[in-house]
């Protein structure tokens, strides 16, 4: 097992620890303390090792698989709970090929601000963003056969990111190495293959270190076979370990921010709002649309992607679109500005704090995919659902021609030419008695008082048109007799 020391000599470290222990206990320096100094922090900025007799529980935080946006809130919660419980240390167990840089930046900021000592345990691999997280802890321990490094940023297509992003990553790794008292060139060589580290890495080869190599040059503090040996090395052999796992809320956030789920949420949101605009009242479609959009922006807000600016921009766009559809005839400036605002808010909600062109391009592609899904779903609703037996009760299948239209009352052609008498005043509508039947009628000319004889002129679209008659129905019956 190797435990290299840099910056201060072993005697100085041993002396410092002896003084601290003596001051804390008020008694003489325990014998053998100088041996324990082998495992002391390599630089003055690193916290001293916690006491094995503290009796508190060590917190273990596993980070495995791809580092996604939802990992950062999980790590922040774990560090907060460890500080509240008085944990002597937090062990970040890493087995990751890397992931999103913006998520890793949030994690390393929380690690730098942690109130308890943090140790990285590289269990197989800590590559790319995982290497950056490991360097942000107070000490690094590696399992035999593990690797750390290979941190050059890449685009979504697997190609090397632009120099602007590479430069930012180089600076981040250099700053982390300087905090831990390491050679900054070693950290930078993990990001940029053009950097040469004499005796370690040649120019043109991206630096990835094995466990033996990392401990030999001081990147890792020691090689440990398992978690039990790690606790012994950190002078916490009897401390119980509590593992913190993502809770249900963090799991949901990780699911909602997944690149495969985000376009579906946008699609459901847009489709629900479109259907709601085309219907006279607020219903299920609008509720589903609003819930989908709330889930999209809410989840991205929790992982520090979507801020209040994106939410306000989306709200303004929705208002402009509603004005265009409901108030302003046609499709003009308000509709165009509203559409641009909504799409812009969706794109902004999926990129990080320092977005690259590739991230913006990918986010725009996901939004475009959601629009295509909305179009396909809308076409399917219009074309196929009316013919479906399962949804037959939701649609009206019978139709009439433009000339026929829809009649609310049956035709009464038998009334044409009949005589009657008004039962109420016609001003210009009212009720008349025709063939002993009360019928709503409309006068073609001046208003008529009740009791006036009338004759039916025509019946069209359920309307019975009448005029004043020269004789009453009784007179006509007498003449016929």
């Amino acid at each position: 097992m190797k435990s290299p020391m840099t910056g201060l000599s072993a005697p100085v470290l041993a002396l410092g620890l002896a003084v601290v222990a003596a001051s804390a206990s008020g008694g003489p320096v325990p014998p053998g303390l100088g041996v324990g100094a082998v495992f002391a922090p390599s630089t003055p900025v690193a916290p001293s090792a916690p006491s094995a007799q503290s009796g508190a529980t060590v917190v273990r935080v596993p980070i495995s698989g791809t580092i996604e946006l939802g990992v950062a809130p999980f790590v922040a919660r774990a560090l907060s709970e460890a500080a509240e419980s008085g944990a002597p240390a937090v062990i970040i167990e890493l087995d990751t090929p890397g992931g999103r840089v913006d998520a890793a930046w949030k994690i390393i900021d929380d690690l730098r601000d942690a109130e308890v000592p943090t140790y990285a345990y590289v269990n197989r691999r800590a590559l790319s963003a995982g290497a950056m997280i490991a360097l942000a802890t107070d000490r690094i321990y590696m399992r035999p056969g593990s690797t750390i490094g290979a941190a050059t940023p890449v685009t979504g297509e697997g190609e090397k990111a632009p120099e602007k992003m590479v430069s930012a990553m180089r600076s981040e790794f250099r700053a982390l190495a300087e905090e831990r008292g390491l050679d900054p060139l070693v950290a930078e060589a993990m990001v940029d293959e053009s950097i040469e580290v004499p005796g370690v890495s040649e120019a043109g080869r991206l630096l990835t270190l094995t466990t033996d190599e990392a401990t030999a040059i001081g990147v890792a503090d020691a090689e440990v076979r398992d978690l039990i040996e790690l606790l012994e090395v950190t002078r916490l052999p009897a401390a119980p370990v509590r593992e913190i796992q993502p809770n249900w809320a963090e799991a949901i956030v990780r699911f909602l921010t997944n690149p495969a789920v985000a376009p579906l949420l946008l699609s459901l949101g847009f489709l629900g709002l479109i259907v709601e605009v085309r219907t006279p009242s607020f219903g299920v479609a609008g509720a589903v649309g609003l819930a989908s959009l709330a889930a999209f922006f809410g989840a991205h807000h929790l992982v520090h992607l979507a801020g209040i600016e994106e939410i306000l921009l989306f709200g303004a766009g929705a208002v402009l679109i509603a004005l265009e559809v409901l108030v302003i005839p046609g499709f003009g400036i308000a509709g165009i500005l509203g559409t641009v605002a909504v799409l812009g808010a969706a794109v902004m909600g999926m990129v990080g704090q320092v977005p690259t062109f590739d991230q913006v391009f990918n986010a725009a592609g996901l939004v475009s995919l959601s629009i295509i899904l909305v179009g396909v779903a809308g076409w399917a609703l219009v074309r196929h659902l009316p013919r479906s037996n399962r949804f037959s009760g939701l649609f009206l299948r019978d139709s009439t021609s433009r000339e026929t239209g829809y009649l609310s009352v049956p035709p009464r052609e038998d009334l044409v030419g009949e005589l009657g008498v008004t039962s109420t005043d016609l001003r210009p509508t009212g009720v008349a008695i025709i063939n002993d039947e009360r019928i709503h009628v409309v006068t073609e000319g001046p208003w008529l008082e009740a009791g006036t004889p009338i004759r039916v002129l025509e019946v069209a679209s359920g309307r019975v048109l009448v005029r004043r008659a020269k004789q009453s129905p009784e007179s006509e019956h007498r003449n016929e007799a």
Side-chain angles (χ1 to χ4, degrees):
M1 186 183 306
K2 303 175 182 179
S3 180
M5 296 180 294
T6 58
L8 295 178
S9 63
V12 174
L13 288 173
L15 178 60
L17 285 175
V19 172
V20 172
S23 301
S25 61
V29 179
L33 185 59
V35 177
V38 174
F39 305 110
S42 58
T43 62
V45 297
S48 59
S51 173
Q53 282 75 31
S54 62
T57 301
V58 174
V59 173
R60 173 173 170 262
V61 183
I63 299 179
S64 60
T66 303
I67 297 174
E68 300 174 353
L69 297 168
V71 178
F74 161 60
V75 175
R77 177 177 64 87
L79 293 174
S80 177
E81 290 185 6
E84 292 175 358
S85 64
V90 174
I91 299 174
I92 308 294
E93 184 171 334
L94 295 166
D95 184 11
T96 173
R100 291 189 62 127
V101 175
D102 48 0
W105 280 345
K106 180 64 175 65
I107 294 173
I108 67 174
D109 288 343
D110 292 332
L111 288 172
R112 282 168 163 170
D113 297 335
E115 300 177 5
V116 296
T118 56
Y119 305 144
Y121 174 40
V122 181
N123 187 1
R124 298 302 184 193
R125 58 194 59 84
L127 304 177
S128 192
M132 184 162 58
I133 293 174
L135 288 173
T137 61
D138 298 320
R139 303 182 192 176
I140 299 176
Y141 301 95
M142 297 181 65
R143 176 178 175 173
S146 299
T147 55
I148 184 172
T152 186
V154 296
T155 64
E157 290 74 25
E159 301 178 356
K160 186 177 179 180
E163 175 59 26
K164 177 180 179 181
M165 191 64 187
V166 174
S167 176
M169 286 289 288
R170 274 200 312 264
S171 300
E172 193 74 43
F173 269 71
R174 183 173 62 251
L176 291 171
E178 290 173 350
E179 282 188 66
R180 300 187 75 249
L182 301 176
D183 184 358
L185 283 180
V186 173
E188 291 186 65
M190 294 182 181
V191 179
D192 192 346
E193 67 274 9
S194 64
I195 296 178
E196 179 181 0
V197 181
V200 177
S201 175
E202 300 177 356
R205 185 175 71 89
L206 194 64
L207 181 59
T208 302
L209 299 173
T210 65
T211 300
D212 290 340
E213 293 170 340
T215 54
I217 64 175
V219 172
D221 290 78
E223 174 186 314
V224 294
R225 291 188 299 272
D226 50 30
L227 192 61
I228 296 176
E229 187 173 349
L230 190 152
L231 293 175
E232 293 177 352
V233 168
T234 55
R235 296 193 297 142
L236 292 168
V241 178
R242 178 172 65 96
E243 179 178 327
I244 295 182
Q245 291 286 348
N247 57 30
W248 64 270
E250 292 160 349
I252 291 177
V253 168
R254 292 190 67 176
F255 173 77
L256 294 179
T257 55
N258 190 290
V261 178
L264 296 179
L265 291 176
L266 288 176
S267 301
L268 287 176
F270 293 153
L271 184 61
L273 293 183
I274 291 174
V275 172
E276 195 61 40
V277 167
R278 304 297 297 176
T279 54
S281 62
F282 187 82
V284 176
V288 172
L290 290 178
S292 299
L293 293 174
F296 173 83
F297 284 102
H300 284 75
H301 177 70
L302 290 176
V303 296
H304 305 281
L305 279 185
I308 190 65
E309 300 84 359
E310 287 80 1
I311 297 176
L312 292 177
L313 182 62
F314 177 83
V319 170
L320 288 174
I321 294 176
L323 288 176
E324 187 70 36
V325 173
L326 302 176
V327 179
I328 306 173
F331 190 82
I333 299 299
I336 295 175
L337 292 178
T339 302
V340 171
V342 169
L343 298 181
V347 172
M348 291 171 59
M350 286 190 284
V351 298
Q353 298 177 351
V354 187
T356 63
F357 174 79
D358 179 70
Q359 291 176 340
V360 175
F361 181 79
N362 290 338
L366 291 177
V367 173
S368 301
L369 176 61
S370 68
I371 295 175
I372 294 174
L373 292 176
V374 168
V376 172
W379 177 82
L381 288 173
V382 173
R383 185 173 181 83
H384 296 290
L385 285 185
R387 301 191 182 122
S388 172
N389 293 329
R390 179 173 298 180
F391 300 97
S392 59
L394 299 177
F395 300 92
L396 181 65
R397 297 187 178 185
D398 298 329
S399 61
T400 58
S401 64
R402 182 186 298 271
E403 293 77 13
T404 304
Y406 174 75
L407 299 179
S408 60
V409 295
R412 294 297 305 272
E413 299 297 336
D414 58 303
L415 296 178
V416 176
E418 295 292 330
L419 292 173
V421 61
T422 58
S423 176
T424 63
D425 295 340
L426 303 187
R427 299 185 178 183
T429 64
V431 179
I433 305 298
I434 303 175
N435 294 338
D436 298 327
E437 184 180 355
R438 289 175 58 86
I439 299 176
H440 287 273
V441 297
V442 180
T443 177
E444 69 160 358
W447 292 357
L448 303 177
E449 297 180 353
T452 303
I454 58 172
R455 182 181 296 277
V456 178
L457 298 181
E458 66 176 2
V459 179
S461 300
R463 189 182 68 162
V464 180
L465 186 65
V466 300
R467 68 167 51 167
R468 182 191 297 270
K470 296 180 180 180
Q471 57 183 352
S472 64
E474 291 78 7
S475 301
E476 183 179 10
H477 291 323
R478 286 197 299 270
N479 294 335
E480 292 177 352

